[in-house]
Amino acid sequence: MERNMNILAISGSLRKQSANTMLMQAMIELAPATLNFQVYDQLNDLPHFNPDFDVDDGPVSVQHFRTQLKQADGVLICTPEYGNGIPGVLKNALDWIVSSGEWVNKPTVVIAASPSPLGGNQAHTSILLTLNMINAHILDDASFTIPYITMKINKQGAITDPDTKKALQNSLLRLAGVCST
Ligand code: FNR
């Protein structure tokens, strides 16, 4: 029997019409009922990481992010790639967690989606390095890149490619299965 899990969902894109944000929403809709999602959409509110500001409880927006992470049983990230790396806002968010530890052992699925043929593979590799460093429990077999994303999701945010839809469903089932008893 699978227990209910609270999942924090994060899109690495701030763009209104972001394919990755639509993908994240589509995954939330495809997910089994045992996964309860909370969307964290305040990457833009976090100050630039500076250890000098990480004193006492830290900035209020950082406290909020850390609390959301702490309360989550798992994390889902959908991210684009910029300049062969992860978006600065997403890396900045991770930097705030390096020494605070809320992500340690947390089951984490990372999807990188791009219109390019490589699917944001450099961003995917890069974020996994950082998540490994902070001891997240990365679900490698549920994390992947999606090339040609604009041909696989329509403007309404529906996944139109059956293979992609199936892969995303399997990824979510894997996440839901992590805590099965
Ligand atoms: C991009 N894009 C991009 N794509 C990629 O696969 N590798 C890359 O290195 C980059 N670099 C990059 C830099 C800049 C400045 C822009 C504006 C774009 C394309 C990017 O993947 C595309 O715009 C996605 O649609 C962005 O994701 P969202 O916002 O749709 O989720």
Side-chain angles (χ1 to χ4, degrees), residues 13 15 17-21 80-85 113-116 120:
S13 176
R15 221 163 58 83
Q17 299 301 321
S18 160
N20 281 278
T21 304
E81 174 174 284
Y82 289 144
N84 281 353
S114 167
S116 89

Side-chain angles (χ1 to χ4, degrees), residues 10-176:
I10 305 171
S11 168
S13 176
L14 300 180
R15 221 163 58 83
K16 278 204 186 100
Q17 299 301 321
S18 160
N20 281 278
T21 304
M22 285 198 289
L23 181 66
M24 179 188 75
Q25 291 294 349
M27 288 184 76
I28 291 172
E29 280 161 37
L30 288 173
T34 52
L35 297 184
N36 303 317
F37 286 86
Q38 179 77 37
V39 173
Y40 179 76
D41 58 3
Q42 287 144 63
L43 289 180
N44 208 24
D45 295 342
L46 297 171
H48 293 157
F49 176 64
N50 180 343
D52 290 346
F53 300 155
D54 200 8
V55 287
D56 302 324
D57 293 331
V60 172
S61 56
V62 174
Q63 287 174 39
H64 172 67
F65 179 47
R66 287 174 173 164
T67 302
Q68 300 262 71
L69 261 178
K70 200 171 179 176
Q71 290 171 349
D73 301 304
V75 184
L76 167 67
I77 295 175
C78 295
T79 186
E81 174 174 284
Y82 289 144
N84 281 353
I86 66 172
V89 286
L90 186 54
K91 178 61 166 63
N92 184 52
L94 295 175
D95 287 345
W96 279 109
I97 305 303
V98 170
S99 57
S100 62
E102 288 81 5
W103 217 310
V104 173
N105 293 332
K106 212 139 270 192
T108 301
V109 166
V110 184
I111 310 291
S114 167
S116 89
L118 295 177
N121 65 322
Q122 307 266 33
H124 200 254
T125 302
S126 174
I127 193 170
L128 293 187
L129 286 174
T130 305
L131 287 168
N132 260 314
M133 196 271 168
I134 61 180
N135 291 311
H137 174 190
I138 299 161
L139 303 184
D140 286 311
D141 51 353
S143 298
F144 48 87
T145 61
I146 306 180
Y148 305 115
I149 184 63
T150 41
M151 295 163 68
K152 296 172 178 172
I153 191 167
N154 67 21
K155 288 198 162 55
Q156 289 71 46
I159 310 286
T160 52
D161 177 58
D163 290 344
T164 301
K165 192 170 181 177
K166 189 79 199 146
L168 294 170
Q169 281 169 327
N170 286 339
S171 169
L172 291 159
L173 285 173
R174 171 82 177 92
L175 182 58

